[in-house]
Amino acid sequence: MTSNAAMPSPKVFCLGLSRTGTRSLTAGLRTLGFDVLHYPTDRAALDTLHRGDACFPHLDHCAGLADITVVPYFQQLDRLWPGSRFVLTLRDEESWLRSCREHWALNPVDTTPTTAKARIKREVQRFLRAAVYGGYEFHEDRFRAVYRRHVDLVCRHFDGRQDDLLLLRPCAGEGYERLAPFLGVPTPLGPFPHVR
């Protein structure tokens, strides 16, 4: 188990589902000075997923985590890192489903990895796809239900804690004007990043 003493709270966790702007949010957080790690796929991440304790050693040296790595563990991370900030990235449901369909077609989990690093990455991908989406393949009805259930669960968990959760729609143009005040940092002049 890792200690959370190396980096003081608060951490920043993006608990958005795949294809909701988590890469853009990660880039925006880094611009704001938060060194957040997007979707770690190394041995340490895999070991943490297997243990199920949410004690990611990455948090000893980074300001937070983003993408579906956080989704199954956000409630544990909230307990382990009191005072942290959580950002739920949202996207129009139909647009999100189209994007997921395309992404899953381009990123299958059934390819045979050629290196040890690629094998670990595939195992992390398979674990998280099963944990978050209930399987490895894209199925529209299931994904729609997962999206709605996740948003509901997050909103219920943070009910009455508006200072701890920000709902952000980067795919609809929301960015620094909402994110920076939520994190208590100055709003930068440049545009919010758009990363695919």
Side-chain angles (χ1 to χ4, degrees):
M1 252 167 99
T2 186
S3 163
N4 60 9
M7 290 270 307
S9 282
K11 297 289 189 189
V12 180
F13 296 105
C14 169
L15 41 89
L17 294 173
S18 313
R19 315 307 299 160
T20 60
T22 62
R23 287 185 187 276
S24 298
L25 175 60
T26 300
L29 287 167
R30 289 177 180 161
T31 298
L32 294 175
F34 296 88
D35 183 25
V36 171
L37 183 60
H38 184 272
Y39 195 71
T41 57
D42 57 9
R43 171 53 69 184
L46 182 60
D47 291 346
T48 303
L49 297 176
H50 285 168
R51 287 192 316 270
D53 61 9
C55 292
F56 291 92
H58 312 79
L59 294 170
D60 287 342
H61 56 80
C62 72
L65 298 172
D67 204 71
I68 63 170
T69 310
V70 176
V71 170
Y73 305 106
F74 78 89
Q75 293 158 316
Q76 288 170 271
L77 290 166
D78 188 28
R79 286 191 300 276
L80 288 169
W81 295 94
S84 293
R85 299 294 178 258
F86 291 80
V87 182
L88 175 59
T89 48
L90 301 171
R91 184 171 181 175
D92 169 76
E93 198 172 278
E94 296 308 316
S95 169
W96 177 72
L97 289 167
R98 283 192 302 275
S99 183
C100 286
R101 183 181 301 108
E102 293 168 8
H103 182 72
W104 260 248
L106 293 172
N107 296 282
V109 295
D110 57 1
T111 56
T112 303
T114 56
T115 67
K117 184 177 179 179
R119 283 191 291 278
I120 290 170
K121 180 178 180 178
R122 182 182 70 170
E123 194 171 341
V124 169
Q125 183 185 44
R126 289 172 66 91
F127 184 103
L128 287 170
R129 283 189 179 185
V132 174
Y133 298 107
Y136 302 146
E137 305 300 324
F138 174 80
H139 294 283
E140 184 172 319
D141 290 342
R142 184 171 65 237
F143 273 51
R144 188 184 305 276
V146 166
Y147 183 91
R148 292 175 182 178
R149 184 174 59 244
H150 178 59
V151 171
D152 180 63
L153 181 63
V154 169
C155 290
R156 280 190 288 115
H157 178 79
F158 289 101
D159 186 39
R161 296 172 53 197
Q162 295 81 358
D163 292 343
D164 297 336
L165 176 67
L166 174 67
L167 305 180
L168 189 71
R169 293 168 177 81
C171 298
E174 294 181 350
Y176 291 131
E177 76 286 349
R178 299 194 65 232
L179 183 61
F182 173 69
L183 296 173
V185 297
T187 304
L189 295 176
F192 195 73
H194 178 71
V195 182
R196 291 187 55 83

